[in-house]
Amino acid sequence: MPAPQKRPRFRDRNNVLARPEFMSLNQPVASQQEPRTFNRKPSVPAGNNSTDNARERRQSQQLPEEDCMQLNPSFKGIAWNSLVAIDICMSKRLGVCANSASSWGSARSMVKLIGLTSHGFPWIGGTLVCLWKSSTLAGQEVLMNLLLALMLDILTVAGVQKLIKRRAPYEMTPSILDYLLLDVYAFPAGHASRATMVSKFFLNHLVLAIPLRILLVLWAFVVGLSRIMIGRHHISDVLGGFVIGYLQFNLVEVLWLSSNTCQMLTSLW
């Protein structure tokens, strides 16, 4: 009896399929793998198969759009996604002062200072001081309409930003002043819209020399560029701010307050 037992052991030792790492090859292959389902009953009558299939078909049709794959997107969708990708890529490349570790990180404080020249608080405060010290009706008229334009800019930018809720290209926490002016999101760029509106306002209602007029236009452009360099806005956010600022100026021109109206408003306080 011992001799017959040694032969099978010797054959099992030489058999490759008997090794532990190849034991799965000796298992029989299942003819059909059943899909894993939860709470499935072991046996379902044949008459309920059609109702289950119909219920699964209805559930698959009710999936949200973000869970569905668009196998044939439209040309408009492809073009829009391409433009958004280019906008994000170029904005990140131009964000050279986004943090201290960036390529131009040492100039971040100076670039932020350029953006502060178009902040809402300095402009509103300066306009109120000038309006309080103004003694001419023409000056009060211009300053009162400028104050109206600044308030309109803050409300418009805050409303559009709250509606779109676009994030900045870099993860940045807005400052306390941004929270007070409701300038939290990226689109549109409030500093760019304000700089465009103010520069256009001064060009139309103040008599300035040609060098000063050129400096006003360059100032509005540099303010928008500085917001991209510090990583606060995308390129499209700044361009949208330029457009909104120009439209706001045209609206203020349509709603221009007369000298009598401005004198009545200033007499209230």
Side-chain angles (χ1 to χ4, degrees), residues 43-68:
S43 60
V44 180
N48 294 336
N49 289 335
S50 59
T51 59
D52 293 341
N53 294 334
R55 189 182 301 111
E56 292 177 359
R57 197 178 301 111
R58 286 195 301 269
Q59 291 177 357
S60 62
Q61 293 176 356
Q62 296 175 357
L63 290 175
E65 294 183 359
E66 58 268 15
D67 294 339
C68 300

Side-chain angles (χ1 to χ4, degrees), residues 18 37 40 70 85 87-88 100 114 132 141 150 161 164 172 180 183 186 189 194 204 222 232 248 250 252 267:
T37 56
R40 183 171 179 175
Q70 296 182 359
D87 180 31
I88 295 174
S100 58
I114 296 174
W132 177 56
E141 180 182 354
L150 292 172
Q161 285 188 0
I164 297 179
M172 301 183 64
L180 292 177
D183 189 8
R194 195 172 301 112
N204 278 47
V222 171
R232 185 67 177 80
Q248 286 172 352
N250 293 330
V252 170
S267 62

Side-chain angles (χ1 to χ4, degrees), residues 42-257:
S43 60
V44 180
N48 294 336
N49 289 335
S50 59
T51 59
D52 293 341
N53 294 334
R55 189 182 301 111
E56 292 177 359
R57 197 178 301 111
R58 286 195 301 269
Q59 291 177 357
S60 62
Q61 293 176 356
Q62 296 175 357
L63 290 175
E65 294 183 359
E66 58 268 15
D67 294 339
C68 300
M69 181 182 297
Q70 296 182 359
L71 298 179
N72 189 19
S74 61
F75 176 76
K76 185 185 298 184
I78 295 175
W80 175 255
N81 293 332
S82 301
L83 291 176
V84 171
I86 293 173
D87 180 31
I88 295 174
C89 180
M90 294 299 295
S91 301
K92 286 184 174 293
R93 286 181 177 272
L94 291 177
V96 293
C97 302
N99 48 57
S100 58
S102 302
S103 57
W104 289 17
S106 59
R108 176 176 170 80
S109 58
M110 184 182 66
V111 176
K112 288 184 68 176
L113 184 61
I114 296 174
L116 287 177
T117 59
S118 180
H119 203 278
F121 274 119
W123 279 101
I124 293 177
T127 304
L128 289 174
V129 171
C130 294
L131 185 61
W132 177 56
K133 292 187 175 182
S134 178
S135 58
T136 61
L137 295 178
Q140 292 178 0
E141 180 182 354
V142 173
L143 290 172
M144 184 61 71
N145 284 277
L146 177 60
L147 182 62
L148 172 65
L150 292 172
M151 298 302 296
L152 177 64
D153 175 75
I154 292 176
L155 295 177
T156 304
V157 171
V160 177
Q161 285 188 0
K162 191 66 175 179
L163 181 64
I164 297 179
K165 294 183 178 181
R166 189 184 189 187
R167 297 293 180 180
Y170 292 90
E171 293 294 334
M172 301 183 64
T173 303
S175 62
I176 299 177
L177 296 178
D178 294 333
Y179 279 111
L180 292 177
L181 290 179
L182 304 177
D183 189 8
V184 180
Y185 297 100
F187 184 88
H191 291 69
S193 67
R194 195 172 301 112
T196 303
M197 186 267 299
V198 169
S199 61
K200 185 65 175 173
F201 189 93
F202 285 171
L203 289 175
N204 278 47
H205 297 284
L206 295 181
V207 179
L208 300 174
I210 294 179
L212 292 178
R213 298 174 72 89
I214 296 175
L215 284 177
L216 270 176
V217 177
L218 289 178
W219 169 72
F221 175 77
V222 171
V223 166
L225 181 61
S226 67
R227 305 301 290 173
I228 302 174
M229 293 176 65
I230 64 173
R232 185 67 177 80
H233 294 282
H234 299 85
I235 298 175
S236 60
D237 302 335
V238 173
L239 295 178
F242 290 156
V243 174
I244 290 178
Y246 183 78
L247 295 177
Q248 286 172 352
F249 166 77
N250 293 330
L251 181 60
V252 170
E253 290 293 311
V254 173
L255 303 177
W256 186 265
L257 301 179

